[in-house]
Amino acid sequence: MATFLYKLGRLSFRRRHFVALIWVALLTLAGVGAASAPAAGNSSFSIPGTEAQKAFDLLEQRFPGTSADGATARVVFKAPSGEKMTDPGNKATVQDTVKELSDGSEVVRVTDPYQAKAVSKDGTIAYAQVSYKVSGMELDDAAKDALKDSAQDARKAGLTVEIGGDALQAVPHTGSSEVIGIAVAAVVLVITFGSLVAAGLPLLTALIGVGIGVSTITGLASALDLGSTTSTLAMMIGLAVGIDYALFIVSRYRAELAEGREREEAAGRAVGTAGSAVVFAGLTVVIALVGLSVVNIPMLTKMGIAAAGTVAIAVLIALTMIPALLGYAGRKVKPMGEKGKLLGRAKKQDEPDEQGRPAKPNLGTRWAGFVVRRPLAVLLLGVVGLGAAAVPATSLELGLPDDGSQPTSTTQRRAYDLLSEGFGPGFNGPLMVVVDAKNSDDPKAVFTETGDEIKELKDVVTVTPAQPNKAGDTATITVIPGSQPSSVTTENLVHGIRDAGADIKADTDANVLVTGSTAMNIDVSEKLNDALMPYLVLVVGLAFLLLIVVFRSILIPLKAALGFLLSVMAALGAVVAVFQWGWLSGLMGVEQTGPVMSMMPIFMVGVVFGLAMDYEVFLVTRMREAYVHGEKPAQAVVTGFRHGARVVTAAAVIMMAVFAGFIGSSESMVKMIGFGLAIAVFFDAFIVRMAIVPAVLALLGRKAWWLPKWLDRALPNVDVEGEGLRTRTDHGDEDRELVRA
C-alpha cells in the first residue's frame, strides 16, 4: 500500500499539469451536468414494510386519482376580536377565497369550512383544506403564489389568515454561518502552516471535491429521486473530511522537507505514509455511510451513498491533486518549523535554543508525557466526564419534525398554533384509518363496527363517518386525537387502533390499517430503533476487522470501538439537552424544542463512527510507526503525540467549524445534524483520542500491540506505517539493506 501510494504521489507531483487538468475537467463536467439537469422534485418518502406505507399503497389502488401523497394546504382563518367566522361578511370572504383557490390547475379539491363543519366551537376560527395532485416540492411556483395571494386578499378584508401543510415547502438554506465555518477553517490552517499558500491547498482541494460531489448529486437528483437534504449532507461531510485529509498530507510533506528530502521525494513519502492513513480513514467513513442502507429506508440509503461518494472523491483528490499542487507551490510551502514571512520563523521541534540548550518540548509532547505518568486518573476523568454528558440521552424521545417545530415567524407554525387553539392539539396530527373489507361478507357493517371500536379508545376526540370507495369494499375513517402529534399518548392511540384492528380481522377477515403523517412518523421511529443494533454490529464489525489489518492488534481496535460508543452517547446527550430540553436553545437558534429527529441516533452512529476512526488512524499510526521502529510503548505514545497532536487538533477544530456552520440552517434536521456532529467531534477528538486513548495505551504497554501469531500470518501486510519506504533512498532507488524494526 505505502509503496503504491508513494509512486502515485511522485507521479502526481511530476505530472501535475495532467492531474490538475483531469480534476478541473471533472469539476467542469459535473457543473455542466448539474446546470443542464431537470429540476429535482421532492424526494419520495417511502418506508417499505411499515403499516403506514401499506395503507398509502392501498389507497392508491382503491381510491385512484385521489393523490394520497399529494401536497395539502390548510388555510386557517381567524375572525377579528369580537366577531365570529359565521358573521355574513366574514363568511362571504371565506367563500370567495375557497372559490379562488379552486381555480388552480393542480388543485384536486378545496373543502368549504361551512359545509365540512370546519369551524371551531366558539366560532372564531375556521379552515379550508386544499388538496393538490403533486407533492409540495413539485408544486409550480404559480400554484404557491396563488395560494399566498388568496390568503393576502382575505387579510385585506380584516381576517387573520395563515397557511399550514406542506404545499409551501421550500428548499432549506444554510445561511451565512456555513461561510463562517469555512472562514474559521482557513484561519486554523494559516495558524497551523504559517503560510497562506500552504493553508490554501486543503481549502482549494476540499472545495473542488465538494463541487464535484454536490454537482453530481444535483445532476442526478431528478433521475434518482434525491432530496435537498442529500446534497447538504454531502457538502457538510465532504468539506470536513476533504480539508482534514489534505491537511494531514501537507503536514507530512512539510515534515519530510524538514528532514532534508527533495520536494518530489517528500511528496511521494507524504502520500505513502499519511496517504495510507487517509485511505483507511476514508474507508471507515465510507463503510459507515454505505451501511445506512441496512435500515431499508430509501431516503436514508440515498443520503448515505451520496455522502460516501463525496468522501471517496475527497480521498482521491488528497492522494493526487495535493501532490500536484505542491509541485506548483514549490518553495512557497516551507519545511516544518519554517513558518515563512507571515508568522515569522519558528524553531523546529528538536532545534536547540541560542545557548545550545535542548528545545522545549511542544504542547503535544508535554500532554502525552503527563498522560503517560498518570494514565489511570486521566482515564477515569475522561470516562466519568463523557458519562455525565451522556445522561440526558436516557430521556431521549424520537419523532419527525412537523409544522409545530417550525420557527414562530413562519406562517406554517402560526397556522399550526391557530388550529390547536380552535380545535385542540390533536387536530394537527389526524390519523387516517383505512379499512380493507374486500374479503368480508358485509363491508358496511365492518366500517360501522370499526368506527364504533375506535370511539371507545382513550384520547379520541372525533371519529368521522366512514368514506367508502366506489366499489364499496374499502373505506377511510379520520380520527382526531386529543393530544399533540409528537406525544406518547398519540403513539399509544395508534397502537390501540391497531390492536383493535387485529380483533376485527379475526372476526370479519377485514384489514384495518392506520396511516397519515403521524402514524408514519411513529413507524419510522420504530423501524429505526429496530435497525440500530444490527447496523451497529455491521459497521463496527467491519471497521473492527479493517483496524486489525491496519494496526495488527486486537486490543487497539477494541479500544477504538469502545471509545466511539462513549463519544456518540455523550453527543446524543448533548443533542437531547439542547433540542429536547432547551438548554442553550437560544444560542443555537432553536425556537421550538421537542422530540429528537428519529434518524438522529442511527445517523450519528454511522457518521461519528467514521469520523472517530479518522483520528484513531491518524494518531495511532504515528504511535505504531514509532513502536515498530524500536521505541518502547510509552515512548511511542509520546512520539505519536509529538508528531501528530498539533495536526489532529487543527483537523478537529476545522471539522467542528465546518459542522457548526450548518447550525444556521433553516431546516431543523440539518441544524440538529450540524450541532450533533460538531459536539461529537469535540468529545471524540479532544477527550477520547487525546486523553482516553493514550491513557489506555500507557496502561496496556506492549499488550496493546499483541496479535496472535496465526492471525499475524493470515493478515495481509498493508504497511500503513511506510516501513517499505525506509528501504528507499531519497532518489527512490531500492536499498540493498532491509531495515527491520
Side-chain angles (χ1 to χ4, degrees), residues 27-54:
L27 178 61
T28 304
L29 184 64
V32 170
S36 59
N42 188 30
S43 178
S44 58
F45 190 75
S46 61
I47 314 294
T50 61
E51 180 173 315
Q53 187 63 48
K54 292 176 182 177

PDB file of all heavy atoms in Angstrom, residues 27-54:
ATOM      1  N   LEU A  27     -14.643  18.644 -12.617  1.00  0.00           N
ATOM      2  CA  LEU A  27     -15.455  19.679 -11.976  1.00  0.00           C
ATOM      3  C   LEU A  27     -16.323  20.391 -13.007  1.00  0.00           C
ATOM      4  O   LEU A  27     -17.519  20.644 -12.769  1.00  0.00           O
ATOM      5  CB  LEU A  27     -14.547  20.678 -11.263  1.00  0.00           C
ATOM      6  CG  LEU A  27     -15.240  21.854 -10.576  1.00  0.00           C
ATOM      7  CD1 LEU A  27     -16.187  21.370  -9.489  1.00  0.00           C
ATOM      8  CD2 LEU A  27     -14.211  22.823  -9.992  1.00  0.00           C
ATOM      9  N   THR A  28     -15.741  20.703 -14.163  1.00  0.00           N
ATOM     10  CA  THR A  28     -16.500  21.371 -15.220  1.00  0.00           C
ATOM     11  C   THR A  28     -17.628  20.490 -15.733  1.00  0.00           C
ATOM     12  O   THR A  28     -18.765  20.941 -15.917  1.00  0.00           O
ATOM     13  CB  THR A  28     -15.568  21.751 -16.382  1.00  0.00           C
ATOM     14  OG1 THR A  28     -14.496  22.565 -15.887  1.00  0.00           O
ATOM     15  CG2 THR A  28     -16.328  22.504 -17.464  1.00  0.00           C
ATOM     16  N   LEU A  29     -17.312  19.214 -15.944  1.00  0.00           N
ATOM     17  CA  LEU A  29     -18.318  18.273 -16.442  1.00  0.00           C
ATOM     18  C   LEU A  29     -19.468  18.138 -15.455  1.00  0.00           C
ATOM     19  O   LEU A  29     -20.650  18.150 -15.845  1.00  0.00           O
ATOM     20  CB  LEU A  29     -17.662  16.911 -16.691  1.00  0.00           C
ATOM     21  CG  LEU A  29     -18.546  15.823 -17.302  1.00  0.00           C
ATOM     22  CD1 LEU A  29     -18.993  16.231 -18.700  1.00  0.00           C
ATOM     23  CD2 LEU A  29     -17.788  14.497 -17.363  1.00  0.00           C
ATOM     24  N   ALA A  30     -19.128  18.012 -14.161  1.00  0.00           N
ATOM     25  CA  ALA A  30     -20.173  17.894 -13.145  1.00  0.00           C
ATOM     26  C   ALA A  30     -21.005  19.168 -13.065  1.00  0.00           C
ATOM     27  O   ALA A  30     -22.238  19.118 -12.915  1.00  0.00           O
ATOM     28  CB  ALA A  30     -19.541  17.586 -11.782  1.00  0.00           C
ATOM     29  N   GLY A  31     -20.344  20.322 -13.185  1.00  0.00           N
ATOM     30  CA  GLY A  31     -21.074  21.586 -13.137  1.00  0.00           C
ATOM     31  C   GLY A  31     -22.028  21.760 -14.307  1.00  0.00           C
ATOM     32  O   GLY A  31     -23.169  22.198 -14.132  1.00  0.00           O
ATOM     33  N   VAL A  32     -21.570  21.384 -15.496  1.00  0.00           N
ATOM     34  CA  VAL A  32     -22.431  21.469 -16.672  1.00  0.00           C
ATOM     35  C   VAL A  32     -23.615  20.515 -16.536  1.00  0.00           C
ATOM     36  O   VAL A  32     -24.758  20.849 -16.863  1.00  0.00           O
ATOM     37  CB  VAL A  32     -21.626  21.159 -17.952  1.00  0.00           C
ATOM     38  CG1 VAL A  32     -22.549  21.013 -19.159  1.00  0.00           C
ATOM     39  CG2 VAL A  32     -20.595  22.249 -18.210  1.00  0.00           C
ATOM     40  N   GLY A  33     -23.336  19.306 -16.022  1.00  0.00           N
ATOM     41  CA  GLY A  33     -24.415  18.339 -15.821  1.00  0.00           C
ATOM     42  C   GLY A  33     -25.452  18.833 -14.837  1.00  0.00           C
ATOM     43  O   GLY A  33     -26.661  18.667 -15.044  1.00  0.00           O
ATOM     44  N   ALA A  34     -24.981  19.473 -13.757  1.00  0.00           N
ATOM     45  CA  ALA A  34     -25.917  19.998 -12.758  1.00  0.00           C
ATOM     46  C   ALA A  34     -26.755  21.138 -13.323  1.00  0.00           C
ATOM     47  O   ALA A  34     -27.955  21.256 -13.042  1.00  0.00           O
ATOM     48  CB  ALA A  34     -25.149  20.467 -11.525  1.00  0.00           C
ATOM     49  N   ALA A  35     -26.115  21.990 -14.143  1.00  0.00           N
ATOM     50  CA  ALA A  35     -26.835  23.135 -14.697  1.00  0.00           C
ATOM     51  C   ALA A  35     -27.869  22.723 -15.740  1.00  0.00           C
ATOM     52  O   ALA A  35     -28.917  23.360 -15.869  1.00  0.00           O
ATOM     53  CB  ALA A  35     -25.833  24.114 -15.315  1.00  0.00           C
ATOM     54  N   SER A  36     -27.578  21.662 -16.470  1.00  0.00           N
ATOM     55  CA  SER A  36     -28.479  21.242 -17.550  1.00  0.00           C
ATOM     56  C   SER A  36     -29.493  20.197 -17.120  1.00  0.00           C
ATOM     57  O   SER A  36     -30.421  19.894 -17.871  1.00  0.00           O
ATOM     58  CB  SER A  36     -27.669  20.697 -18.724  1.00  0.00           C
ATOM     59  OG  SER A  36     -26.872  19.598 -18.312  1.00  0.00           O
ATOM     60  N   ALA A  37     -29.336  19.647 -15.923  1.00  0.00           N
ATOM     61  CA  ALA A  37     -30.253  18.596 -15.463  1.00  0.00           C
ATOM     62  C   ALA A  37     -31.605  19.202 -15.108  1.00  0.00           C
ATOM     63  O   ALA A  37     -31.690  20.365 -14.690  1.00  0.00           O
ATOM     64  CB  ALA A  37     -29.672  17.877 -14.249  1.00  0.00           C
ATOM     65  N   PRO A  38     -32.679  18.431 -15.256  1.00  0.00           N
ATOM     66  CA  PRO A  38     -34.007  18.935 -14.863  1.00  0.00           C
ATOM     67  C   PRO A  38     -34.071  19.165 -13.361  1.00  0.00           C
ATOM     68  O   PRO A  38     -33.361  18.508 -12.584  1.00  0.00           O
ATOM     69  CB  PRO A  38     -34.957  17.814 -15.291  1.00  0.00           C
ATOM     70  CG  PRO A  38     -34.099  16.591 -15.369  1.00  0.00           C
ATOM     71  CD  PRO A  38     -32.740  17.062 -15.794  1.00  0.00           C
ATOM     72  N   ALA A  39     -34.882  20.103 -12.960  1.00  0.00           N
ATOM     73  CA  ALA A  39     -35.019  20.417 -11.535  1.00  0.00           C
ATOM     74  C   ALA A  39     -35.537  19.202 -10.785  1.00  0.00           C
ATOM     75  O   ALA A  39     -36.421  18.488 -11.247  1.00  0.00           O
ATOM     76  CB  ALA A  39     -35.965  21.588 -11.341  1.00  0.00           C
ATOM     77  N   ALA A  40     -34.945  18.965  -9.623  1.00  0.00           N
ATOM     78  CA  ALA A  40     -35.347  17.809  -8.827  1.00  0.00           C
ATOM     79  C   ALA A  40     -36.658  18.084  -8.119  1.00  0.00           C
ATOM     80  O   ALA A  40     -36.902  19.187  -7.631  1.00  0.00           O
ATOM     81  CB  ALA A  40     -34.272  17.481  -7.801  1.00  0.00           C
ATOM     82  N   GLY A  41     -37.496  17.083  -8.062  1.00  0.00           N
ATOM     83  CA  GLY A  41     -38.732  17.196  -7.303  1.00  0.00           C
ATOM     84  C   GLY A  41     -38.493  16.805  -5.866  1.00  0.00           C
ATOM     85  O   GLY A  41     -37.369  16.603  -5.428  1.00  0.00           O
ATOM     86  N   ASN A  42     -39.552  16.676  -5.124  1.00  0.00           N
ATOM     87  CA  ASN A  42     -39.443  16.272  -3.741  1.00  0.00           C
ATOM     88  C   ASN A  42     -39.114  14.792  -3.663  1.00  0.00           C
ATOM     89  O   ASN A  42     -39.702  13.974  -4.350  1.00  0.00           O
ATOM     90  CB  ASN A  42     -40.769  16.529  -3.016  1.00  0.00           C
ATOM     91  CG  ASN A  42     -40.642  16.308  -1.534  1.00  0.00           C
ATOM     92  OD1 ASN A  42     -39.582  16.511  -0.967  1.00  0.00           O
ATOM     93  ND2 ASN A  42     -41.727  15.894  -0.915  1.00  0.00           N
ATOM     94  N   SER A  43     -38.127  14.446  -2.848  1.00  0.00           N
ATOM     95  CA  SER A  43     -37.766  13.044  -2.700  1.00  0.00           C
ATOM     96  C   SER A  43     -38.924  12.281  -2.057  1.00  0.00           C
ATOM     97  O   SER A  43     -39.456  12.671  -1.023  1.00  0.00           O
ATOM     98  CB  SER A  43     -36.522  12.921  -1.807  1.00  0.00           C
ATOM     99  OG  SER A  43     -36.169  11.583  -1.615  1.00  0.00           O
ATOM    100  N   SER A  44     -39.329  11.190  -2.688  1.00  0.00           N
ATOM    101  CA  SER A  44     -40.450  10.412  -2.162  1.00  0.00           C
ATOM    102  C   SER A  44     -40.047   9.760  -0.853  1.00  0.00           C
ATOM    103  O   SER A  44     -38.989   9.164  -0.754  1.00  0.00           O
ATOM    104  CB  SER A  44     -40.875   9.340  -3.170  1.00  0.00           C
ATOM    105  OG  SER A  44     -39.783   8.487  -3.475  1.00  0.00           O
ATOM    106  N   PHE A  45     -40.899   9.891   0.135  1.00  0.00           N
ATOM    107  CA  PHE A  45     -40.585   9.369   1.468  1.00  0.00           C
ATOM    108  C   PHE A  45     -41.379   8.087   1.682  1.00  0.00           C
ATOM    109  O   PHE A  45     -42.487   8.109   2.202  1.00  0.00           O
ATOM    110  CB  PHE A  45     -40.939  10.417   2.529  1.00  0.00           C
ATOM    111  CG  PHE A  45     -40.438  10.052   3.897  1.00  0.00           C
ATOM    112  CD1 PHE A  45     -39.112  10.177   4.214  1.00  0.00           C
ATOM    113  CD2 PHE A  45     -41.315   9.571   4.867  1.00  0.00           C
ATOM    114  CE1 PHE A  45     -38.644   9.852   5.471  1.00  0.00           C
ATOM    115  CE2 PHE A  45     -40.863   9.243   6.125  1.00  0.00           C
ATOM    116  CZ  PHE A  45     -39.522   9.381   6.433  1.00  0.00           C
ATOM    117  N   SER A  46     -40.811   6.977   1.236  1.00  0.00           N
ATOM    118  CA  SER A  46     -41.477   5.689   1.398  1.00  0.00           C
ATOM    119  C   SER A  46     -40.711   4.860   2.421  1.00  0.00           C
ATOM    120  O   SER A  46     -39.485   4.893   2.468  1.00  0.00           O
ATOM    121  CB  SER A  46     -41.538   4.936   0.061  1.00  0.00           C
ATOM    122  OG  SER A  46     -40.232   4.688  -0.423  1.00  0.00           O
ATOM    123  N   ILE A  47     -41.472   4.133   3.229  1.00  0.00           N
ATOM    124  CA  ILE A  47     -40.877   3.294   4.270  1.00  0.00           C
ATOM    125  C   ILE A  47     -41.352   1.860   4.044  1.00  0.00           C
ATOM    126  O   ILE A  47     -42.393   1.451   4.583  1.00  0.00           O
ATOM    127  CB  ILE A  47     -41.276   3.765   5.690  1.00  0.00           C
ATOM    128  CG1 ILE A  47     -41.118   5.274   5.812  1.00  0.00           C
ATOM    129  CG2 ILE A  47     -40.453   3.044   6.735  1.00  0.00           C
ATOM    130  CD1 ILE A  47     -39.696   5.764   5.710  1.00  0.00           C
ATOM    131  N   PRO A  48     -40.666   1.099   3.220  1.00  0.00           N
ATOM    132  CA  PRO A  48     -41.125  -0.256   2.893  1.00  0.00           C
ATOM    133  C   PRO A  48     -41.320  -1.110   4.140  1.00  0.00           C
ATOM    134  O   PRO A  48     -40.518  -1.071   5.077  1.00  0.00           O
ATOM    135  CB  PRO A  48     -39.977  -0.811   2.032  1.00  0.00           C
ATOM    136  CG  PRO A  48     -39.298   0.399   1.472  1.00  0.00           C
ATOM    137  CD  PRO A  48     -39.415   1.448   2.536  1.00  0.00           C
ATOM    138  N   GLY A  49     -42.412  -1.861   4.129  1.00  0.00           N
ATOM    139  CA  GLY A  49     -42.657  -2.815   5.214  1.00  0.00           C
ATOM    140  C   GLY A  49     -43.457  -2.274   6.376  1.00  0.00           C
ATOM    141  O   GLY A  49     -43.908  -3.050   7.219  1.00  0.00           O
ATOM    142  N   THR A  50     -43.675  -0.958   6.459  1.00  0.00           N
ATOM    143  CA  THR A  50     -44.426  -0.405   7.586  1.00  0.00           C
ATOM    144  C   THR A  50     -45.922  -0.418   7.266  1.00  0.00           C
ATOM    145  O   THR A  50     -46.335  -0.381   6.103  1.00  0.00           O
ATOM    146  CB  THR A  50     -43.987   1.032   7.886  1.00  0.00           C
ATOM    147  OG1 THR A  50     -44.239   1.852   6.745  1.00  0.00           O
ATOM    148  CG2 THR A  50     -42.504   1.088   8.218  1.00  0.00           C
ATOM    149  N   GLU A  51     -46.734  -0.435   8.315  1.00  0.00           N
ATOM    150  CA  GLU A  51     -48.181  -0.451   8.121  1.00  0.00           C
ATOM    151  C   GLU A  51     -48.658   0.834   7.472  1.00  0.00           C
ATOM    152  O   GLU A  51     -49.549   0.811   6.607  1.00  0.00           O
ATOM    153  CB  GLU A  51     -48.890  -0.658   9.459  1.00  0.00           C
ATOM    154  CG  GLU A  51     -50.404  -0.695   9.324  1.00  0.00           C
ATOM    155  CD  GLU A  51     -51.109  -1.075  10.621  1.00  0.00           C
ATOM    156  OE1 GLU A  51     -50.655  -2.030  11.273  1.00  0.00           O
ATOM    157  OE2 GLU A  51     -52.101  -0.407  10.948  1.00  0.00           O
ATOM    158  N   ALA A  52     -48.074   1.969   7.859  1.00  0.00           N
ATOM    159  CA  ALA A  52     -48.482   3.248   7.282  1.00  0.00           C
ATOM    160  C   ALA A  52     -48.232   3.264   5.777  1.00  0.00           C
ATOM    161  O   ALA A  52     -49.054   3.773   5.006  1.00  0.00           O
ATOM    162  CB  ALA A  52     -47.735   4.395   7.956  1.00  0.00           C
ATOM    163  N   GLN A  53     -47.107   2.706   5.331  1.00  0.00           N
ATOM    164  CA  GLN A  53     -46.813   2.672   3.899  1.00  0.00           C
ATOM    165  C   GLN A  53     -47.757   1.725   3.159  1.00  0.00           C
ATOM    166  O   GLN A  53     -48.205   2.013   2.053  1.00  0.00           O
ATOM    167  CB  GLN A  53     -45.357   2.248   3.668  1.00  0.00           C
ATOM    168  CG  GLN A  53     -44.909   2.341   2.223  1.00  0.00           C
ATOM    169  CD  GLN A  53     -44.943   3.762   1.706  1.00  0.00           C
ATOM    170  OE1 GLN A  53     -44.452   4.678   2.347  1.00  0.00           O
ATOM    171  NE2 GLN A  53     -45.541   3.958   0.537  1.00  0.00           N
ATOM    172  N   LYS A  54     -48.063   0.582   3.781  1.00  0.00           N
ATOM    173  CA  LYS A  54     -49.006  -0.355   3.166  1.00  0.00           C
ATOM    174  C   LYS A  54     -50.372   0.306   2.958  1.00  0.00           C
ATOM    175  O   LYS A  54     -51.039   0.086   1.939  1.00  0.00           O
ATOM    176  CB  LYS A  54     -49.150  -1.602   4.042  1.00  0.00           C
ATOM    177  CG  LYS A  54     -47.907  -2.475   4.096  1.00  0.00           C
ATOM    178  CD  LYS A  54     -48.106  -3.637   5.059  1.00  0.00           C
ATOM    179  CE  LYS A  54     -46.851  -4.493   5.167  1.00  0.00           C
ATOM    180  NZ  LYS A  54     -47.009  -5.585   6.167  1.00  0.00           N
TER     181      LYS A  54
END
